[in-house]
Amino acid sequence: MTLIEAFKTAREVRLAARSGAFRGSTTGQCDQYIQANLIIVPSKYAKDFRGLCQRNPVSCPLLAESPAPGDPTFPEVAKDCDVRKDAPGYNIYVNGKATQIDVPNIDSLWTEDSVAFLIGCSFSFEGTLATAGLIPRHTELGINVPMYRTKAALMPSGVFGGNMVVSMRPYRGEEVEKVRDLTRPFSRTHGEPVAWGWSAVKALGITDIHTADFGDAPVFREGEVPVFWACGVTPQLSVMSSPDVKGTVIGHAPGKMICLDLKCADILEQQ
Amino acid sequence: MTLIEAFKTAREVRLAARSGAFRGSTTGQCDQYIQANLIIVPSKYAKDFRGLCQRNPVSCPLLAESPAPGDPTFPEVAKDCDVRKDAPGYNIYVNGKATQIDVPNIDSLWTEDSVAFLIGCSFSFEGTLATAGLIPRHTELGINVPMYRTKAALMPSGVFGGNMVVSMRPYRGEEVEKVRDLTRPFSRTHGEPVAWGWSAVKALGITDIHTADFGDAPVFREGEVPVFWACGVTPQLSVMSSPDVKGTVIGHAPGKMICLDLKCADILEQQ
């Protein structure tokens, strides 16, 4: 089995998303590169959102912030990036309610007051897992990773609260320690799992493991257990569950990430 | 009302603890200075413990690590500190079980393999609360802060897992936003509360708010609600709930902190 890989570099993914030619999940794409979750907030919430990331670095590992309100570029991590078009899909929230799902660009919604944040994505370590013979099931099957809301509360920061979202990859019980060891150094892209095993389903407050809240349904094989990582969709759930967050907030469509020029080796923690 | 204050400087507290003259809680002492939780682990667990702090910076905000295994000093944050004697009390854990509670020093247990970590303590912001007219109840009454085990899971790191411990201070509902604002900049000593209000008691999984797991019982007055902060006793609970942590681990006795020469102004986050 190999990763599905149509694009070798992050820039190719960004350009294909920008033109509208690529609207799919970025899982398995440009596997040497870091992928990022996106959240765009009015500038008055930027400080509280920065605090949310500082206080919840496992679910919200902050990779970069746009240089100034109204500037849609990320010159330090993605050459010529235009954050208004470079994700293959976007979700729009107004006063905490999702109003548009998976739109191709946000040109008409970006304002001089918009501040964008990039948050590490667990797709970034999937190449490492695959190389070790632990290919994630959803990349093997060419589908999106299953993601779930949990009842695990975030550490609140100003107007932002809510619960953690997790992504799930099935592995055999005896593989879990190796999976933990391989993903631990990726602290900028969620790092090691937050929970694993069938008992974790209830502990996290997931009501039905077979029905994902975001992404595609999981596919388990005999002897496998769910392994959960914190997920960068968390800020979007936070926006939906924080009544003091008003106005327009924009996120990427879950699974459709901004691909960065950063490579895994650039952010791996020394062990 | 004023803070009970027998000692003006952190060094006076350390010297009094070192001689055995002071065995009490450090709450309200030397209120311009940062106070720290202590945990001492065999060197083989140091990397995983560092990771626990990185992944859980609200409950485990790492202030300093001893310079090398076997060196009981913290030259950067506390002049002439001897971490084996400078807390007013210590708890000892062997293979995850508490074997000695509130002993005056750990001279006989410190080894060439011991690594010590200092973690910010919420006592550090109590002077700021008191100055604003929001004196914590337990300092007003001259007792220890009530602390509780919760069911809120930590982000695991290697051998370390377990749940968060919280400290609790009662405030009137209308005071909570001011309390949040005042403590938010203290991100190195737990920062703003993690939860508040009577509904938070159940959400955190606290079975009886009137019976603290550590420290003294709470004293509520009419119209007050519980306000919970993450607590630096968390690593001790983690050690007790992590079966892979073997050997001797040492913590401070809850409420009996290592007082540092750092002052609040040295660590306050710019807002």
Side-chain angles (χ1 to χ4, degrees), chain A residues 91-158:
Chain A
N91 286 355
I92 318 298
Y93 302 88
V94 177
N95 297 336
K97 300 259 185 284
T99 56
Q100 296 181 74
I101 296 294
D102 200 15
V103 299
N105 70 67
I106 53 160
D107 288 337
S108 63
L109 295 167
W110 180 268
T111 77
E112 288 306 303
D113 187 52
S114 299
V115 179
F117 295 88
L118 297 179
I119 288 165
C121 170
S122 58
F123 289 171
S124 311
F125 55 59
E126 292 185 336
T128 296
L129 287 170
T131 302
L134 296 160
I135 186 167
R137 179 67 31 80
H138 64 280
T139 48
E140 177 195 324
L141 300 178
I143 57 177
N144 199 352
V145 70
M147 293 164 267
Y148 304 87
R149 299 162 183 257
T150 73
K151 65 177 184 188
L154 298 175
M155 304 288 114
S157 170

Side-chain angles (χ1 to χ4, degrees), chain B residues 149-152 164 166 194-196 199-206 228:
Chain B
R149 299 162 184 258
T150 74
K151 66 177 182 188
M164 181 169 61
V166 292
V194 297
W196 53 91
S199 63
V201 177
K202 190 178 173 197
L204 289 168
I206 295 170
F228 297 100

Side-chain angles (χ1 to χ4, degrees), chain A residues 47 54-55 57-58 155-158 164 180 184 190-194 196 269 271, chain B residues 47 54-55 57-58 155-158 164 180 184 190-194 196 269 271:
Chain A
K47 189 180 79 175
Q54 287 169 358
R55 284 164 67 84
V58 179
M155 304 288 114
S157 170
M164 182 168 62
R180 294 183 73 203
R184 186 171 298 127
H190 307 299
E192 66 179 279
V194 297
W196 53 92
E269 195 174 340
Q271 290 289 296
Chain B
K47 189 180 79 175
Q54 288 168 357
R55 284 166 66 84
V58 179
M155 303 289 114
S157 170
M164 181 169 61
R180 294 183 73 203
R184 187 171 297 126
H190 306 300
E192 66 178 280
V194 297
W196 53 91
E269 196 174 340
Q271 289 288 294

